[in-house]
Amino acid sequence: MFVVDPVCQILIFHHLILSSVSGLQVTEKKLASGEIVVLACVILVGLFALQHFGTRRVAFMFAPIVIIWLVSIFSIGLYNIIFWNPKIVRAISPYYIIKFFRETGKDGWFSLGGILLSVTGTEAMFADLGHFTALSIRLAFAFVVYPCLVVQYMGQAAFLSRNPQKVLNSFYDSIPGPVFWPIFVIATLATIVGSQAIITATFSLIKQCHALGCFPRVKVVHTSKHIRGQIYIPEINWILMILTLAITIGFRSTTLIGNAYGLACITVMFITTFLMALVVTFVWQKSVLLAAMFLVFFWFSEGVYLSSALMKVPQGGWVPLVLSVIFMLVMYIWHYGTRKKYNFDLHNKVSLKWLLGLGPSLGIVRVPGIGLIYSELATGVPAIFSHFVTNLPAFHKVLVFVCVKSVPVPYVSPEERFLIGRVCPRPYRMYRCIVRYGYKDIQRDDGDFEDQLIQSIAEFIQMEAGDAQFCSSESSSYDGRLAVISSRTIQSSSSLIVTEREDCDGIESIQSSKSLMLQSLRSAYPDDENPGVRRRHVRFEVAASPGMDTGVREELMDLIEAKEAGVAYIMGHSYVKARRSSSYLKKLVIDMGYSFLRKNCRGPSVALNIPHINLIEVGMIYYV
């Protein structure tokens, strides 16, 4: 479903654009097909070039344009019915479709591929369910869209019953002369509105595929702070533009594009019916017999259309098949490689027993400073940590395993940003932090993250000391217990004294906060991206509190000393390769397909916000 639907959206887009500008072929100054294609390409490039501004800037025009368009086609259809053949209203009766097949036979069945175009395209409304409610779409379709479409098609049929020679451009030929140009302008604007909805729907489908782990990482830009579904994906936008231009220039005909579009749409309907039967059985908890009856009834009617559409494969129907195969391969390879990589991480986590056996020193030299180890795992210690410890004889005195998670809300309040917990007993100075960001939150490299993290860990240390539940737990159950640390709680009850200062050039710093080597590196390599930015430097001290536990004070002092010594960000880069004993197909998928996609897609978003002077990258090869 996810494979065929984007292809269907692309072909709908082509058909809309070419159909709208083809009206210029029926004017007095008829344009050649080549000129029509050039005009369509200009509209396509302009439309895709404007996508980065977001739908919200022009969305206020969409509803008036669509309403005017629907009223226009309803009026033209009603006029044609009255003027050319009022008896056409009898076509509503199902008797005539039976008579049609009885008299035409095989030719009537073959024509279903073209008839399919009159019922497709309306399903594009349902691709926007992420932007509107299902009830609003049902009401709009049942009481506005459907009546206008039926009356318009009746009007075209009435016109063709008296002018059968004008079947190629029946819509524009049926428009009365005095209103041709206003209708043409409205048709073009309505096409742009419909194309915009289809592009946005394609972005939504790609985002859903990415959320399911079935598509390579792409940059998702949310263009609206208030409407969640309005997004922009630059990579997909330009790929769509290239595909649309290639097909438009290659086909140069609405007939061929219509054949491809009809096959793609009926395939989507066919697959959707099967998935709906699964929903009836497993989600709605209805009987299997009811689901089977539903499947047989709809598959029979859709199968007739599908069999007719398959006859058009040589005449353009091959395009959705080829594009679907390409998208399917990309999605399957990425999902397969990602799943293998995650399973390797999951099954090769460092056991807590192994860490406890090493002792608080972990069997290595614990140097001053804080090490922030980024991992996709929300529990356990990633294999990259043991790889680092095994090959290097030193690690930071305080270790924090950081996992950044995106949640489906616009913003995460500071009170719910951090989840803090321990990985090992107190002497090990190892913590876990899950940082949650909303899809509209901006992760800035301004030093606040480090300061907030230190304050959150300090608050967790104090809260843990006063919580009987934490104190009574055995060491074997440390990993996995997390607590939400509120910034309000930090400000009101923290035992840390925070002093701040700002400098304008971004080079001055508190002498005790960084090592001399790091200070010299920062002086040699200033921040060229943000010159003159006012940086905020924070220094922590433990408040003099007679009632504070000695162990808590000692741990807080170690945390502050580590912060003053410097913070290092450790990022793991894992390279997945197939084992030597693997089949040639697996080696092809992992070593070539997945490796190519991983190298050419975007890296983890968290890596883009880490100061490069503090970044340590650790590479590791996974043999799956």
Side-chain angles (χ1 to χ4, degrees), residues 40-277:
C41 291
V42 171
I43 295 176
L44 287 171
V45 173
L47 191 58
F48 281 108
L50 294 175
Q51 290 303 309
H52 71 280
F53 290 109
T55 306
R56 62 186 179 87
R57 296 183 182 273
V58 292
F60 68 94
M61 299 173 55
F62 287 2
I65 290 174
V66 172
I67 291 174
I68 294 173
W69 167 244
L70 292 174
V71 172
S72 300
I73 63 174
F74 179 85
S75 303
I76 294 172
L78 189 61
Y79 167 82
N80 288 328
I81 292 173
I82 297 173
F83 184 80
W84 294 105
N85 188 359
K87 295 182 180 180
I88 201 70
V89 294
R90 298 178 181 176
I92 296 178
S93 173
Y95 164 76
Y96 292 98
I97 189 64
I98 299 175
K99 183 180 179 180
F100 172 78
F101 283 119
R102 186 170 61 238
E103 294 182 0
T104 57
K106 182 179 179 181
D107 293 334
W109 165 75
F110 193 75
S111 67
L112 287 177
I115 297 173
L116 185 65
L117 298 180
S118 66
V119 297
T120 55
T122 54
E123 84 281 354
M125 293 180 63
F126 295 92
D128 291 334
L129 276 174
H131 312 156
F132 306 99
T133 63
L135 179 61
S136 64
I137 292 180
R138 291 194 190 103
L139 293 176
F141 183 79
F143 296 103
V144 181
V145 178
Y146 183 72
C148 293
L149 289 176
V150 170
V151 172
Q152 169 56 216
Y153 285 134
M154 280 187 178
Q156 288 189 50
F159 173 78
L160 290 175
S161 66
R162 299 289 187 265
N163 305 277
Q165 73 280 3
K166 296 185 177 181
V167 67
L168 292 178
N169 291 294
S170 60
F171 173 72
Y172 283 109
D173 283 327
S174 65
I175 298 176
V179 297
F180 175 83
W181 286 110
I183 295 299
F184 174 78
V185 172
I186 293 297
T188 304
L189 292 176
T191 298
I192 293 175
V193 172
S195 302
Q196 178 63 50
I198 291 170
I199 294 173
T200 306
T202 304
F203 290 160
S204 299
L205 288 171
I206 296 298
K207 185 175 184 295
Q208 293 170 23
C209 293
H210 175 257
L212 294 173
C214 298
F215 202 82
R217 287 186 293 265
V218 291
K219 181 181 181 180
V220 179
V221 179
H222 295 266
T223 59
S224 175
K225 295 182 179 180
H226 308 289
I227 303 177
R228 177 181 170 187
Q230 293 186 2
I231 60 176
Y232 168 66
I233 304 178
E235 298 91 337
I236 301 302
N237 183 67
W238 304 123
I239 290 175
L240 281 177
M241 188 187 75
I242 293 172
L243 289 177
T244 52
L245 290 176
I247 295 177
T248 302
I249 296 172
F251 279 175
R252 299 189 176 191
S253 170
T254 57
T255 302
L256 296 178
I257 294 179
N259 293 337
Y261 160 45
L263 179 59
C265 287
I266 193 60
T267 305
V268 170
M269 294 180 182
F270 200 75
I271 297 173
T272 303
T273 300
F274 173 74
L275 297 177
M276 191 64 197

Side-chain angles (χ1 to χ4, degrees), residues 36 52 74 95 118 145 148 152 154-155 158 211 241 244 259 268 304 371 373 436 464 485 492 505 508 556 564 579 581:
I36 294 294
H52 71 280
F74 179 85
Y95 164 76
S118 66
V145 178
C148 293
Q152 169 56 216
M154 280 187 178
M241 188 187 75
T244 52
N259 293 337
V268 170
V304 175
I373 305 172
R436 298 179 292 188
E464 182 188 39
I485 304 300
S492 61
D505 56 8
E508 296 180 8
L556 290 175
E564 293 179 349
R579 299 180 185 274
S581 59

Side-chain angles (χ1 to χ4, degrees), residues 424-552:
C424 288
R426 180 179 294 177
Y428 287 72
R429 304 296 191 255
M430 297 174 66
Y431 310 93
R432 180 178 308 282
C433 175
I434 298 179
V435 189
R436 298 179 292 188
Y437 286 100
Y439 62 82
K440 287 297 294 182
D441 281 324
I442 300 177
Q443 303 178 31
R444 301 184 184 275
D445 175 25
D446 54 6
D448 284 345
F449 173 76
E450 296 178 6
D451 301 331
Q452 293 173 6
L453 179 62
I454 298 303
Q455 293 181 71
S456 298
I457 294 176
E459 177 62 26
F460 170 78
I461 293 171
Q462 298 172 75
M463 183 190 69
E464 182 188 39
D467 193 331
Q469 180 181 356
F470 278 92
C471 294
S472 61
S473 301
E474 296 183 2
S475 61
S476 60
S477 63
Y478 271 106
D479 193 20
R481 295 185 295 109
L482 301 169
V484 179
I485 304 300
S486 170
S487 60
R488 294 178 181 175
T489 306
I490 292 173
Q491 295 173 1
S492 61
S493 62
S494 178
S495 297
L496 291 183
I497 299 176
V498 181
T499 56
E500 302 179 10
R501 61 169 290 186
E502 292 185 355
D503 56 71
C504 300
D505 56 8
I507 300 177
E508 296 180 8
S509 61
I510 301 175
Q511 296 298 320
S512 61
S513 64
K514 301 290 180 183
S515 66
L516 294 177
M517 177 61 70
L518 189 55
Q519 290 181 43
S520 62
L521 288 175
R522 287 192 179 278
S523 301
Y525 301 98
D527 190 354
D528 295 331
E529 297 180 358
N530 299 302
V533 174
R534 297 182 66 87
R535 293 192 176 274
R536 175 171 159 269
H537 299 284
V538 178
R539 188 170 185 175
F540 301 98
E541 295 179 2
V542 179
S545 177
M548 182 182 296
D549 182 75
T550 306
V552 172

Side-chain angles (χ1 to χ4, degrees), residues 9-25:
Q9 304 292 346
I10 294 172
L11 295 172
I12 292 175
F13 189 45
H14 287 115
H15 197 265
L16 286 173
I17 295 294
L18 272 182
S19 297
S20 66
V21 298
S22 64
L24 296 175
Q25 292 181 314

